[in-house]
mmCIF file of all heavy atoms in Angstrom:
data_model
loop_
_atom_site.group_PDB
_atom_site.id
_atom_site.type_symbol
_atom_site.label_atom_id
_atom_site.label_comp_id
_atom_site.label_asym_id
_atom_site.label_seq_id
_atom_site.Cartn_x
_atom_site.Cartn_y
_atom_site.Cartn_z
ATOM 1 N N LEU B 185 -28.024 -68.538 13.087
ATOM 2 C CA LEU B 185 -26.655 -69.030 13.129
ATOM 3 C C LEU B 185 -25.706 -67.843 13.128
ATOM 4 O O LEU B 185 -25.900 -66.904 12.369
ATOM 5 C CB LEU B 185 -26.375 -69.873 11.885
ATOM 6 C CG LEU B 185 -26.618 -71.371 11.988
ATOM 7 C CD1 LEU B 185 -26.279 -72.016 10.651
ATOM 8 C CD2 LEU B 185 -25.766 -71.979 13.083
ATOM 9 N N VAL B 269 -0.806 -76.108 13.206
ATOM 10 C CA VAL B 269 0.160 -77.116 12.765
ATOM 11 C C VAL B 269 0.993 -77.590 13.936
ATOM 12 O O VAL B 269 1.190 -78.793 14.133
ATOM 13 C CB VAL B 269 1.059 -76.531 11.651
ATOM 14 C CG1 VAL B 269 2.199 -77.503 11.336
ATOM 15 C CG2 VAL B 269 0.236 -76.252 10.403
ATOM 16 N N LEU B 299 -10.129 -77.831 3.486
ATOM 17 C CA LEU B 299 -9.966 -76.440 3.925
ATOM 18 C C LEU B 299 -9.348 -75.594 2.818
ATOM 19 O O LEU B 299 -9.806 -74.493 2.521
ATOM 20 C CB LEU B 299 -9.060 -76.409 5.154
ATOM 21 C CG LEU B 299 -9.758 -76.149 6.482
ATOM 22 C CD1 LEU B 299 -8.803 -76.418 7.631
ATOM 23 C CD2 LEU B 299 -10.279 -74.734 6.534
ATOM 24 N N ILE B 300 -8.293 -76.178 2.228
ATOM 25 C CA ILE B 300 -7.624 -75.418 1.159
ATOM 26 C C ILE B 300 -8.583 -75.190 0.001
ATOM 27 O O ILE B 300 -8.707 -74.100 -0.544
ATOM 28 C CB ILE B 300 -6.374 -76.189 0.669
ATOM 29 C CG1 ILE B 300 -5.346 -76.236 1.796
ATOM 30 C CG2 ILE B 300 -5.786 -75.515 -0.559
ATOM 31 C CD1 ILE B 300 -4.161 -77.122 1.508
ATOM 32 N N GLU B 374 -30.785 -70.466 -19.772
ATOM 33 C CA GLU B 374 -31.700 -69.630 -19.007
ATOM 34 C C GLU B 374 -31.129 -68.236 -18.827
ATOM 35 O O GLU B 374 -31.808 -67.223 -18.994
ATOM 36 C CB GLU B 374 -31.919 -70.286 -17.643
ATOM 37 C CG GLU B 374 -33.133 -69.788 -16.911
ATOM 38 C CD GLU B 374 -33.248 -70.467 -15.561
ATOM 39 O OE1 GLU B 374 -33.202 -71.716 -15.537
ATOM 40 O OE2 GLU B 374 -33.335 -69.766 -14.568
ATOM 41 N N ILE B 387 -35.050 -52.044 -24.777
ATOM 42 C CA ILE B 387 -35.250 -51.411 -26.079
ATOM 43 C C ILE B 387 -36.688 -50.949 -26.233
ATOM 44 O O ILE B 387 -36.965 -49.822 -26.661
ATOM 45 C CB ILE B 387 -34.869 -52.381 -27.218
ATOM 46 C CG1 ILE B 387 -33.355 -52.579 -27.232
ATOM 47 C CG2 ILE B 387 -35.331 -51.850 -28.566
ATOM 48 C CD1 ILE B 387 -32.892 -53.611 -28.204
ATOM 49 N N VAL B 395 -39.688 -42.911 -29.685
ATOM 50 C CA VAL B 395 -40.223 -42.976 -31.038
ATOM 51 C C VAL B 395 -41.750 -42.940 -31.060
ATOM 52 O O VAL B 395 -42.360 -42.174 -31.816
ATOM 53 C CB VAL B 395 -39.696 -44.226 -31.764
ATOM 54 C CG1 VAL B 395 -40.280 -44.312 -33.148
ATOM 55 C CG2 VAL B 395 -38.196 -44.202 -31.824
ATOM 56 N N ASP B 460 -25.895 -31.008 -41.353
ATOM 57 C CA ASP B 460 -25.174 -32.276 -41.361
ATOM 58 C C ASP B 460 -23.834 -32.097 -40.665
ATOM 59 O O ASP B 460 -23.022 -31.286 -41.097
ATOM 60 C CB ASP B 460 -24.947 -32.742 -42.803
ATOM 61 C CG ASP B 460 -25.922 -33.834 -43.165
ATOM 62 O OD1 ASP B 460 -26.536 -34.395 -42.233
ATOM 63 O OD2 ASP B 460 -26.071 -34.116 -44.367
ATOM 64 N N ASN B 467 -11.438 -38.838 -30.766
ATOM 65 C CA ASN B 467 -12.254 -39.662 -29.882
ATOM 66 C C ASN B 467 -11.895 -39.418 -28.429
ATOM 67 O O ASN B 467 -12.120 -40.247 -27.570
ATOM 68 C CB ASN B 467 -12.071 -41.138 -30.222
ATOM 69 C CG ASN B 467 -12.766 -41.468 -31.521
ATOM 70 O OD1 ASN B 467 -13.942 -41.157 -31.701
ATOM 71 N ND2 ASN B 467 -12.041 -42.067 -32.439
ATOM 72 N N PRO B 472 -15.036 -29.755 -20.496
ATOM 73 C CA PRO B 472 -15.942 -28.839 -21.196
ATOM 74 C C PRO B 472 -15.307 -27.476 -21.473
ATOM 75 O O PRO B 472 -15.538 -26.879 -22.520
ATOM 76 C CB PRO B 472 -17.118 -28.710 -20.228
ATOM 77 C CG PRO B 472 -17.094 -29.975 -19.446
ATOM 78 C CD PRO B 472 -15.667 -30.367 -19.325
ATOM 79 N N ALA B 485 -22.022 -19.525 -35.723
ATOM 80 C CA ALA B 485 -21.835 -19.599 -37.169
ATOM 81 C C ALA B 485 -23.015 -20.335 -37.816
ATOM 82 O O ALA B 485 -23.517 -19.924 -38.869
ATOM 83 C CB ALA B 485 -20.528 -20.320 -37.481
ATOM 84 N N ARG B 542 -9.949 -15.062 -27.925
ATOM 85 C CA ARG B 542 -9.806 -15.156 -26.463
ATOM 86 C C ARG B 542 -9.421 -16.580 -26.036
ATOM 87 O O ARG B 542 -8.706 -16.774 -25.067
ATOM 88 C CB ARG B 542 -11.115 -14.757 -25.781
ATOM 89 C CG ARG B 542 -11.243 -13.275 -25.517
ATOM 90 C CD ARG B 542 -12.288 -13.005 -24.450
ATOM 91 N NE ARG B 542 -13.612 -13.501 -24.829
ATOM 92 C CZ ARG B 542 -14.463 -12.835 -25.611
ATOM 93 N NH1 ARG B 542 -14.123 -11.656 -26.095
ATOM 94 N NH2 ARG B 542 -15.632 -13.343 -25.923
ATOM 95 N N VAL B 549 -13.710 -15.858 -42.143
ATOM 96 C CA VAL B 549 -14.933 -15.967 -42.933
ATOM 97 C C VAL B 549 -14.563 -15.931 -44.406
ATOM 98 O O VAL B 549 -13.872 -15.032 -44.860
ATOM 99 C CB VAL B 549 -15.898 -14.816 -42.602
ATOM 100 C CG1 VAL B 549 -17.175 -14.953 -43.413
ATOM 101 C CG2 VAL B 549 -16.209 -14.789 -41.119
ATOM 102 N N GLY B 556 -22.223 -18.678 -51.448
ATOM 103 C CA GLY B 556 -22.274 -19.275 -50.117
ATOM 104 C C GLY B 556 -21.191 -18.727 -49.198
ATOM 105 O O GLY B 556 -20.356 -17.912 -49.593
ATOM 106 N N GLU B 560 -14.457 -20.620 -40.919
ATOM 107 C CA GLU B 560 -13.428 -21.564 -40.520
ATOM 108 C C GLU B 560 -12.994 -21.230 -39.098
ATOM 109 O O GLU B 560 -12.615 -20.098 -38.808
ATOM 110 C CB GLU B 560 -12.242 -21.429 -41.488
ATOM 111 C CG GLU B 560 -11.080 -22.322 -41.161
ATOM 112 C CD GLU B 560 -9.888 -22.057 -42.098
ATOM 113 O OE1 GLU B 560 -10.043 -21.282 -43.065
ATOM 114 O OE2 GLU B 560 -8.814 -22.615 -41.837
ATOM 115 N N ALA B 569 -3.321 -29.276 -22.160
ATOM 116 C CA ALA B 569 -4.710 -28.885 -21.925
ATOM 117 C C ALA B 569 -5.328 -29.762 -20.859
ATOM 118 O O ALA B 569 -5.059 -30.960 -20.795
ATOM 119 C CB ALA B 569 -5.514 -29.003 -23.210
ATOM 120 N N ARG B 571 -7.190 -32.138 -19.830
ATOM 121 C CA ARG B 571 -8.029 -33.237 -20.266
ATOM 122 C C ARG B 571 -8.973 -33.580 -19.132
ATOM 123 O O ARG B 571 -8.603 -33.464 -17.978
ATOM 124 C CB ARG B 571 -7.093 -34.400 -20.499
ATOM 125 C CG ARG B 571 -7.407 -35.275 -21.478
ATOM 126 C CD ARG B 571 -7.496 -35.885 -22.635
ATOM 127 N NE ARG B 571 -6.837 -35.423 -23.811
ATOM 128 C CZ ARG B 571 -5.863 -36.089 -24.346
ATOM 129 N NH1 ARG B 571 -5.415 -37.173 -23.819
ATOM 130 N NH2 ARG B 571 -5.330 -35.664 -25.446
#
Side-chain angles (χ1 to χ4, degrees):
Chain B
L185 268 180
V269 172
L299 254 169
I300 294 172
E374 198 181 308
I387 290 174
V395 178
D460 257 345
N467 287 309
R542 272 199 300 277
V549 181
E560 178 185 353
R571 213 91 1 112

